[in-house]
Amino acid sequence: MRNVPRVVVIGAGFGGLSAARHLGRAPVEVVVVDRTNHHLFQPLLYQVATGILSSGEIAPSIRSIFRRQRSTSITLGKVTAVDVAGHQVEVCGADGESKRLGYDYLIVAAGAHDSYFGHHEWARHLFPMKTLAQAVALREQILTAFERAAETADREKQRRWTTFVIVGGGPTGVELAGQLATVAVQIQREFRLIDSEQARVVLVEGGGELLASFAEPLRHHARKKLAAMGVEIRLGTMAVNVDDDGIDIHTAAKGNDGRGPERIAAGTVIWAAGVEASPLGRLLGDLTGAEVDHKGRVRVGPDCSLPGHPEVFCIGDLAALNDLPGLCEPAMQEGRYVAKLIRRRLAGQAPLGPFRYRDLGTMAAISPGDAIAQAFGLRLSGLPAKVAWALVHIAFLVGWGNRLGVLSRWAHDIVTGNRSERVLLEGVGEGGVVVRRSEG
Ligand SMILES: Cc1cc2nc3c(=O)[nH]c(=O)nc-3n(C[C@H](O)[C@H](O)[C@H](O)COP(=O)(O)OP(=O)(O)OC[C@H]3O[C@@H](n4cnc5c(N)ncnc54)[C@H](O)[C@@H]3O)c2cc1C
């Protein structure tokens, strides 16, 4: 028998962290369960992948975040099953043992993972960037690619190793493309045998536009800027096959009908395209009869709860509500809202009205001195947008130590034109430097 109600929060990402923090002073016991020991600031993952930031700077430990919140405990483990009738979750812990954890309220904020549009076989040839392990694996691959190009006199191999293809023209794809073009220029002076400035960065987007959620003048600015940096933009183009030597793409443009796919020999193909909600979404759908959409998200009620289960909530990337996009801000606002709802229920106060999203705008970085941003009817581009982008990202990072660390890395990058995170964790073994594509 528990003295106070227990709230179990699955996932310490943007949604789960926000919910757990806002329950800090409530008369409840909070248990945060995450399969990793850190809260990951995904918007800056691409800076880890391109050697600007270290892993720890964007991934503070969950225990350190809650060290002063005495009502909250942390369980490192993966939730594998939910018993909604028995009010329990099954957790596979760090020791590999399964245990059951009872709850009075359950907040499921398990986020999303990569989806390859049904082509699971592509996964072993691609570099996704959804987890910290994947970002570090990608960084090692980028560094290794330049090293391998420098080692060979064969122009064709050099060309292949310095060709980077990014699939997906949303903010992540655009940010990576801009950084890769910048990396190639920055490290050129260190590689004397190859002309790394000639590195080819190809950005492949299936739709007709990059950054589809932005207004046309901002999209135009991004396109122009990327093109000026040498990024090849391929719109209306689908990946049709990926293997270890490159990618086949097909452009459905006028005049291309009947033409076969185009082959791009590339040492690195990066996946910044689809995502799909955590499998816990489908599991909860099956258990509760809640509808699950084509992205695996659970359709929740107006208060983020599941039909027939007012004690179970889904938030963030796992939840389908009012067509909200998979972004940090909806996840955080939903987390805050659900915490408030639980507090009011426990206090016997009148129920909260339905969740309402407050759109605070969106932004994307393009190059070290350029970004685009739109908020409250205002549009910014160029350096002013990059300054706004930097301020917002610093403000949303967790912990003063990380904020200062990131600021000093950015200052170092601007002043020296170099980046600090250039370690290849493994040296050269029997088969050369091996980069493991991470399962995340
Ligand atoms: C590369 C990248 C860049 C992005 N850039 C931006 C951006 O610039 N702006 C923006 O607004 N959004 C951005 N997003 C989207 C944003 O990060 C997500 O919308 C947001 O993180 C969603 O929050 P969440 O709490 O739903 O899930 P997440 O933040 O993904 O957290 C999910 C948590 O659940 C844990 N978990 C998952 N399954 C289990 C399980 N079975 N058991 C235990 N724990 C589990 C995970 O370890 C993770 O900690 C980006 C995403 C990516 C991948």
Side-chain angles (χ1 to χ4, degrees):
M1 194 63 188
R2 291 186 281 273
N3 294 334
V4 287
R6 181 189 282 164
V7 184
V8 170
V9 180
I10 306 177
F14 283 91
L17 197 70
S18 162
R21 279 174 148 181
H22 285 89
L23 285 167
R25 285 164 193 244
V28 290
E29 171 199 357
V30 180
V31 183
V32 177
V33 187
D34 200 296
R35 60 181 179 188
T36 73
N37 75 337
H38 53 264
H39 162 73
L40 181 58
F41 192 83
Q42 289 170 346
L44 288 178
L45 257 184
Y46 81 99
Q47 296 212 351
V48 170
T50 52
I52 298 174
L53 299 177
S54 73
S55 318
E57 280 158 347
I58 64 160
S61 96
I62 301 167
R63 288 188 192 279
S64 73
I65 295 171
F66 287 104
R67 68 189 181 283
R68 292 204 187 91
Q69 194 167 306
R70 301 194 71 82
S71 59
T72 301
S73 62
I74 313 300
T75 295
L76 175 63
K78 180 173 177 173
V79 174
T80 50
V82 181
D83 172 2
V84 285
H87 287 203
Q88 290 188 329
V89 294
E90 194 169 290
V91 184
C92 175
D95 54 3
E97 303 274 321
S98 275
K99 63 176 178 188
R100 290 187 149 244
L101 193 59
Y103 65 81
D104 297 287
Y105 292 95
L106 178 65
I107 303 175
V108 191
H113 60 91
D114 293 295
S115 133
Y116 303 105
F117 304 138
H119 291 281
H120 301 293
E121 72 282 6
W122 291 356
R124 63 198 174 93
H125 308 294
L126 286 166
F127 285 85
M129 201 190 58
K130 192 88 183 69
T131 67
L132 206 49
Q134 290 170 343
V136 172
L138 175 56
R139 185 187 75 205
E140 298 219 343
Q141 168 69 9
I142 293 167
L143 294 171
T144 305
F146 283 113
E147 295 292 347
R148 294 185 83 152
E151 279 305 307
T152 178
D154 181 329
R155 300 294 293 178
E156 207 174 301
K157 282 188 181 159
Q158 275 189 1
R159 187 82 177 138
R160 190 176 85 77
W161 278 115
T162 52
T163 297
F164 301 87
V165 179
I166 302 158
V167 184
T172 301
V174 163
E175 288 175 338
L176 263 172
Q179 270 303 324
L180 275 169
T182 311
V183 170
V185 174
Q186 282 181 341
I187 66 175
Q188 197 249 350
R189 58 177 175 258
E190 297 175 22
F191 285 86
R192 300 191 182 93
L193 296 176
I194 56 160
D195 184 358
S196 61
E197 244 181 290
Q198 292 309 308
R200 189 175 172 206
V201 179
V202 187
L203 183 54
V204 174
E205 164 58 38
E209 269 304 340
L210 292 183
L211 301 165
S213 59
F214 287 82
E216 170 50 24
L218 296 180
R219 296 201 301 252
H220 175 74
H221 176 87
R223 268 195 320 268
K224 217 173 69 185
K225 182 76 192 178
L226 286 174
M229 293 167 81
V231 175
E232 286 176 44
I233 300 168
R234 310 294 286 267
L235 298 176
T237 301
M238 303 295 288
V240 290
N241 184 43
V242 187
D243 55 43
D244 268 346
D245 296 319
I247 181 169
D248 295 308
I249 55 173
H250 183 259
T251 305
K254 243 185 178 170
N256 195 32
D257 292 348
R259 234 195 273 165
E262 174 190 341
R263 175 77 181 166
I264 302 180
T268 310
V269 180
I270 302 168
W271 190 256
V275 291
E276 191 175 55
S278 149
L280 289 181
R282 286 197 194 283
L283 183 89
L284 286 168
D286 290 346
L287 289 172
T288 64
E291 195 190 320
V292 176
D293 74 5
H294 67 288
K295 290 181 177 168
R297 299 179 306 174
V298 188
R299 202 162 292 288
V300 292
D303 65 352
C304 299
S305 71
L306 295 190
H309 289 276
E311 75 290 357
V312 181
F313 303 89
C314 280
I315 58 173
D317 284 2
L318 189 69
L321 175 64
N322 303 339
D323 285 330
L324 291 175
L327 293 172
C328 304
E329 197 51 49
M332 288 191 293
Q333 290 185 26
E334 286 166 3
R336 201 158 52 226
Y337 168 88
V338 167
K340 191 170 175 192
L341 185 147
I342 292 174
R343 286 201 315 259
R344 286 178 76 110
R345 258 194 222 167
L346 290 173
Q349 293 168 343
L352 269 185
F355 171 75
R356 287 197 200 294
Y357 177 57
R358 198 161 157 252
D359 187 355
L360 300 180
T362 44
M363 37 183 54
I366 301 165
S367 74
D370 206 322
I372 54 173
Q374 59 186 27
F376 310 113
L378 289 174
R379 290 175 195 157
L380 281 180
S381 59
L383 191 58
K386 190 62 196 261
V387 172
W389 176 94
L391 292 175
V392 167
H393 281 70
I394 288 293
F396 278 87
L397 269 171
V398 176
W400 281 104
N402 282 344
R403 290 188 187 120
L404 291 173
V406 168
L407 270 177
S408 74
R409 292 295 183 127
W410 286 349
H412 170 273
D413 195 26
I414 292 167
V415 172
T416 65
N418 207 339
R419 39 199 80 211
S420 339
E421 293 295 319
R422 302 262 300 266
V423 173
L424 283 176
L425 290 174
E426 301 274 352
V428 177
E430 301 258 316
V433 176
V434 181
V435 176
R436 283 173 222 89
R437 286 158 171 81
S438 161
E439 296 301 316

